[in-house]
């Protein structure tokens, strides 16, 4: 199969591309570095031509509601329009566990994205995932010796497990809202950050921050945990830490 990967140069996207190649399929990366601007649609139709499916893992780093909604509305709208025009049979979109419950700025963007996918006329699958093992890394990469990390209760999952699941859905029939995917262990984001810092040998003072109001309460009391039956990632956070030690 020929599968386009929106955001194919990012954390999950690289795993998706690698998984597709390993399985003998042809990935097509949709990213600025490959001549495609998802926010404007420039170059999208040409790159998408001949694709059987699209996996959308395009992302933006922001906490602002307006910025997130604008980004995901534009990129998803452009993808749906190009997929429809190009006869693409399946759009697989990555979203976030709890994004429909927690009123955090970024999550409003994912809600807008999901709504566009559901209401669009391209057969679809949406996979919601919990936070990745790698989530604290950008915070720890700061040059500051003091790092602010939000208090967040989660079942973190390996980005590679998520990528493998996205590919499996892309190669099958559209499933609508797929079972959520989460990791095997329930952990606190602050503790994760501290353990990663120790393994990486980074001297950082990790300061826990509880976000204000209902958002902070939801994040610390299970609002970002999967509900009901869910897919369980096979990789553990301990294994992730071991891979960092070996690197």
């Amino acid at each position: 199969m020929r599968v386009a990967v929106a955001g194919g140069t990012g954390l999950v996207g690289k795993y998706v591309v690698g998984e597709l190649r390993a399985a003998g399929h042809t990935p097509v990366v949709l990213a600025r570095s490959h001549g495609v601007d998802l926010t404007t649609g420039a170059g999208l139709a040409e790159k998408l031509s001949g694709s059987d499916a699209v996996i959308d893992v395009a992302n933006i780093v922001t906490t602002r509601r307006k910025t997130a909604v604008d980004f995901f509305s534009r990129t998803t709208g452009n993808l749906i329009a190009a997929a429809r025009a190009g006869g693409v049979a399946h759009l697989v979109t990555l979203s976030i566990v709890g994004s429909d419950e927690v009123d955090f700025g970024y999550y409003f963007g994912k809600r807008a994205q999901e709504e566009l996918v559901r209401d669009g006329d391209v057969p679809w699958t949406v996979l919601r995932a919990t936070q990745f093992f790698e989530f604290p890394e950008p915070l720890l990469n700061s040059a500051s010796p003091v790092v602010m990390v939000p208090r967040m209760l989660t079942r973190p999952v390996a980005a590679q497990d998520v990528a493998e699941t996205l590919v499996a859905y892309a190669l099958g029939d559209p499933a609508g809202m797929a079972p959520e995917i989460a990791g095997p262990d329930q952990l606190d984001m602050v503790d994760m950050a501290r353990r990663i810092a120790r393994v990486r040998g980074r001297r950082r003072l990790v300061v826990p921050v509880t976000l204000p109001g209902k958002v902070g309460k939801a994040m610390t009391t299970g609002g970002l945990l999967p509900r009901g039956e869910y897919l369980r990632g096979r990789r553990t956070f301990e294994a992730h830490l071991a891979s960092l030690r070996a690197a």
Side-chain angles (χ1 to χ4, degrees):
M1 288 180 62
R2 181 180 174 90
V3 181
V5 185
T9 58
L11 172 64
V12 181
K14 289 179 179 178
Y15 283 124
V16 168
V17 169
E19 182 71 12
L20 286 166
R21 284 180 177 148
H25 301 285
T26 302
V28 179
V29 176
L30 307 178
R32 282 194 179 95
S33 58
H34 286 67
V36 176
D37 187 339
L38 292 169
T39 62
T40 65
L44 182 56
E46 294 82 0
K47 276 281 190 178
L48 204 58
S49 177
S51 294
D52 301 291
V54 178
I55 298 175
D56 183 10
V57 291
N59 194 33
I60 186 173
V61 178
T62 183
T63 60
R64 297 182 59 188
R65 175 176 179 172
K66 184 179 184 302
T67 302
V69 170
D70 181 62
F71 175 83
F72 286 111
S73 296
R74 285 191 290 146
T75 57
T76 303
N78 288 333
L79 272 176
I80 291 172
R84 179 178 62 246
V88 174
H90 191 182
L91 171 61
V92 180
T93 302
L94 176 62
S95 191
I96 303 173
V97 169
S99 60
D100 57 336
E101 299 288 339
V102 180
D103 291 335
F104 184 55
Y106 176 82
Y107 297 164
F108 283 102
K110 300 306 285 186
R111 291 183 198 177
Q113 180 183 40
E114 287 188 14
E115 183 177 355
L116 285 170
V117 171
R118 288 195 304 268
D119 294 344
D121 48 7
V122 176
W124 59 275
T125 299
V126 170
L127 174 68
R128 289 177 177 168
T130 52
Q131 285 67 37
F132 305 133
F133 294 156
E134 297 86 351
F135 183 91
E137 293 276 6
L139 302 175
L140 297 173
N141 287 338
S142 167
S144 172
V146 179
V147 178
M148 316 292 280
V149 176
R151 293 186 185 274
M152 187 183 297
L153 188 63
T154 184
R155 281 189 171 273
V157 66
Q160 189 167 351
D161 284 340
V162 175
E164 291 172 0
T165 305
L166 289 167
V167 170
Y169 276 115
L171 302 181
D173 296 327
M177 293 301 299
E180 297 173 337
I181 183 170
D185 303 307
Q186 185 167 298
L187 299 169
D188 180 83
M189 191 60 65
V190 173
D191 180 57
M192 290 171 61
R194 287 172 174 160
R195 293 166 72 183
I196 290 174
R198 285 196 297 270
V199 168
R200 290 215 180 267
R202 292 177 183 158
R203 296 185 178 182
R204 300 286 190 273
L205 175 61
V206 176
V207 178
V209 177
T210 302
L211 296 181
K214 292 181 179 179
V215 171
K217 183 177 181 180
M219 285 186 171
T220 56
T221 58
L224 299 179
L225 297 177
R227 298 172 295 279
E229 295 295 322
Y230 64 93
L231 299 173
R232 188 175 295 242
R234 59 189 178 89
R235 295 172 173 85
T236 66
F237 186 62
E238 288 295 339
H240 176 67
L241 292 176
S243 70
L244 296 182
R245 292 188 191 98

